[in-house]
Amino acid sequence: MLKGLISFQGRYRILHQTWFAFFLTFVCWFNFAPFAGLIQKELHLSDPQKTTLLICNVALTIPARIIIGMLLDRFGPRITYSFLLMFAVVPCMATAMSHDFNQLVWSRLLMGIVGSGFVIGIRMVSEWFPPKDIGIAQGVYGGWGNFGAFGAEFALPILAVATGFVAGGASNWRLAVAFTGIVAAIYGVIYFNTVQDTPSGKVYKRPKKNGAMEVTSKGSFYAMLLSNFGLIFALGLLAWRLAQPKIHFLSLSQMYIVWIGLLGLYAYQTYQAWRVNKELLTGQKIYSPSERYQFRQVALLEFTYVTNFGSELAAVSMLPIFFETTFSLDHHMASIIASCYPFLNLVSRPSGGLISDKLGSRKWTMTVISVGIGISYLLAYEINGSWALPLAIAVTMLSAYFAQAGCGATYGIVPLIKKEITGQISGNVGAYGNFGGVIYLTILSLTNARTLFATMGIAALVCASLCAFFLKEPKGSFAEDYETNSATAEHALPSSSMLAEEVE
């Protein structure tokens, strides 16, 4: 694997180009966090307003990941990722030009759409790597892409200070934020012109029906409806938060209108799910054993992603403020220290995927890592101003390792459930990561950092117990071929130059 990564040829070139696309979406998505304290002072925002903006940043990623997953399965990762990258310039410029709380809310809600890019690369990587290597490949994609959060928290404050002369000597956060969107849009054009969806000779599998996820049993259908409601609930929670008196964004009547709209959306989702699965529900279609999958397994992976990626979203969003207030640091220094958390993505998420590949059991890898998440966050619960700063950083990095390794382990399983709807499964699981982010950040807004750490720790331990009893090892987890039921040979992979010719 290491030799292939260095070669930058064939499937490894696609992996490099795709993780960098994800990296740029993450830089854009988290370009607000390092400047949260500064923007609060400049635009005279209250503490509740500042925390609400962090929630807005992850909220629309919930429905966006579902929609992106459907578009991905239909149009392929090349087109979908390229246009999402080009779209990123819109919320970045909107944020850079915001002058009050309301404008920031709209810009950060739009930015949440950019955060849905992760699911696209999951499908792209699964098309290019066989099951036996899928854990490490997805780990590299996710980990090196998530490194964009470190890029935002570490590099953007430096860029803002370095260009401060343009803003009369002040930190030029507006230019730094705008710059991230411009770079992403340019790379979107490059990505569109230099990658392809599958190796030559391999067919890109699309779902037979579009509009909702296809399930293979009646029980799975009702489990899917419950899963969909959870995502709608998270959006309703955000609307409630925006209607609080200290926020001044939605009135009570406007909140009810949003809730009615969300119920309408849920009704439409339910209708689409019924339409796609009508033959199953009416007994006209029975799936063969080879075609079946359990939605219960998807639901368990949704929960694991709440506890690992959901907690990562919350931690990355709040750690700059946490270190600034707990240890009385300058906001630039606090942001740089907090970047230790996302920095570990460079190795931790790939290691989670690698362990999943090499241990021989993806189920027990997931279970053990979830236990580590729980214990490390409960240790973080004890951090206070009397701690030595290096010790606090060490505990933070320990929790970062387990949370990010858990992300890699989760997506070492996701692409193995049902190939042709990998985009939709990835979208659902990914959306629950954002569900976790919304729930955790809402808890933070109502309580404090210690309560948040305790909640994330306990949730992870509950998740570990459920994985131990109910998570199943996917069929073909360690197959040598790209498809578990075919013999697609790796020698069919074209060279880098051949890929370029075919794309053109």
Side-chain angles (χ1 to χ4, degrees):
M1 186 72 180
L2 180 59
K3 184 178 179 181
L5 287 172
I6 297 173
S7 72
F8 208 80
Q9 296 292 318
R11 64 184 185 181
Y12 295 99
R13 180 174 70 84
I14 299 296
L15 176 59
H16 280 301
Q17 290 186 264
T18 303
W19 76 251
F20 189 67
F22 181 37
F23 174 91
L24 289 178
T25 61
F26 243 60
V27 170
C28 293
W29 196 16
F30 286 97
N31 61 17
F32 177 83
F35 304 115
L38 180 63
I39 294 173
Q40 179 184 19
K41 295 174 184 176
E42 183 174 322
L43 302 187
H44 309 292
L45 305 178
S46 66
D47 287 336
Q49 286 177 326
K50 179 179 65 176
T51 307
T52 299
L53 287 171
L54 298 178
I55 301 173
C56 290
N57 200 53
V58 302
L60 281 194
T61 312
I62 294 172
R65 288 197 174 195
I66 303 298
I67 296 169
I68 288 293
M70 293 179 182
L71 294 175
L72 166 64
D73 285 337
R74 183 173 182 180
F75 296 107
R78 170 176 167 262
I79 292 176
T80 311
Y81 228 150
S82 299
F83 281 91
L84 185 69
L85 285 162
M86 289 184 271
F87 168 77
V89 73
V90 176
C92 286
M93 296 301 294
T95 300
M97 295 187 289
S98 294
H99 289 88
D100 59 39
F101 174 70
N102 287 0
Q103 292 174 352
L104 281 172
V105 167
W106 289 114
S107 67
R108 299 324 292 181
L109 285 171
L110 287 175
M111 187 62 76
I113 298 174
V114 180
S116 64
F118 170 69
V119 301
I120 307 173
I122 291 296
R123 180 68 191 263
M124 176 67 97
V125 173
S126 71
E127 293 294 335
W128 285 87
F129 286 81
K132 71 182 183 67
D133 295 325
I134 202 69
I136 180 61
Q138 296 290 5
V140 168
Y141 163 70
W144 293 9
N146 275 355
F147 197 65
F150 168 80
E153 292 193 343
F154 182 83
L156 292 186
I158 295 175
L159 176 62
V161 171
T163 57
F165 66 92
V166 181
S171 177
N172 197 352
W173 65 269
R174 295 182 186 275
L175 186 147
V177 169
F179 179 74
T180 61
I182 294 170
V183 172
I186 293 172
Y187 188 72
V189 176
I190 296 172
Y191 193 80
F192 181 82
N193 286 287
T194 56
V195 304
Q196 64 185 55
D197 291 330
T198 63
S200 296
K202 183 183 177 186
V203 178
Y204 185 79
K205 288 188 175 182
R206 291 175 168 83
K208 297 175 183 178
K209 299 178 181 179
N210 293 298
M213 190 182 298
E214 186 177 2
V215 295
T216 56
S217 70
K218 292 182 179 180
S220 291
F221 176 78
Y222 296 111
M224 178 176 65
L225 296 188
L226 183 61
S227 170
N228 290 342
F229 180 78
L231 300 178
I232 294 295
F233 171 80
L235 295 174
L237 185 63
L238 171 64
W240 171 81
R241 182 64 187 164
L242 291 173
Q244 296 307 295
K246 294 181 179 180
I247 304 302
H248 305 301
F249 185 78
L250 292 179
S251 66
L252 194 61
S253 59
Q254 289 172 327
M255 181 191 74
Y256 288 135
I257 291 173
V258 171
W259 282 0
I260 292 171
L262 290 174
L263 288 175
L265 175 61
Y266 181 66
Y268 176 73
Q269 280 185 308
T270 302
Y271 166 73
Q272 288 287 79
W274 175 83
R275 181 183 62 80
V276 168
N277 296 284
K278 179 180 177 181
E279 293 179 348
L280 169 72
L281 297 174
T282 56
Q284 299 176 44
K285 184 174 183 179
I286 299 176
Y287 289 87
S288 66
S290 63
E291 294 177 305
R292 294 174 190 164
Y293 76 97
Q294 292 182 332
F295 191 85
R296 180 177 69 180
Q297 300 304 301
V298 179
L300 270 173
L301 294 174
E302 289 172 348
F303 190 22
T304 67
Y305 217 52
V306 167
T307 61
N308 49 58
F309 186 66
S311 68
E312 180 179 354
L313 281 177
V316 171
S317 298
M318 57 76 71
L319 279 176
I321 303 170
F322 174 73
F323 277 108
E324 182 178 349
T325 56
T326 304
F327 296 97
S328 302
L329 301 173
D330 169 79
H331 75 273
H332 289 108
M333 181 57 66
S335 178
I336 292 172
I337 291 175
S339 68
C340 292
Y341 188 104
F343 175 82
L344 269 191
N345 267 304
L346 194 62
V347 294
S348 56
R349 188 158 182 159
S351 76
L354 180 62
I355 294 168
S356 182
D357 286 342
K358 301 302 182 183
L359 188 63
S361 173
R362 301 195 188 278
K363 167 184 175 173
W364 288 108
T365 299
M366 191 74 259
T367 302
V368 172
I369 290 177
S370 295
V371 171
I373 296 172
I375 293 174
S376 59
Y377 278 131
L378 291 178
L379 286 174
Y381 166 80
E382 300 293 340
I383 296 175
N384 57 60
S386 65
W387 277 43
L389 184 57
L391 181 59
I393 294 173
V395 170
T396 299
M397 294 184 75
L398 180 67
S399 64
Y401 173 78
F402 282 111
Q404 294 157 10
C407 294
T410 297
Y411 275 89
I413 300 174
V414 166
L416 302 175
I417 294 178
K418 192 169 178 64
K419 184 71 172 182
E420 57 267 33
I421 58 170
T422 295
Q424 293 179 64
I425 295 174
S426 296
N428 270 58
V429 173
Y432 262 89
N434 290 83
F435 169 89
V438 169
I439 298 298
Y440 289 145
L441 287 171
T442 300
I443 290 171
L444 174 66
S445 71
L446 298 175
T447 57
N448 53 47
R450 296 189 74 212
T451 303
L452 174 65
F453 285 132
T455 303
M456 295 192 299
I458 292 170
L461 293 177
V462 172
C463 179
S465 65
L466 292 176
C467 288
F469 286 104
F470 301 112
L471 187 62
K472 291 186 177 181
E473 192 73 25
K475 294 180 180 178
S477 282
F478 305 97
E480 295 282 344
D481 301 319
Y482 288 95
E483 310 290 348
T484 58
N485 59 349
S486 69
T488 303
E490 185 173 337
H491 68 261
L493 281 170
S495 66
S496 178
S497 58
M498 290 172 63
L499 282 175
E501 291 173 2
E502 292 181 14
V503 170
E504 291 173 359

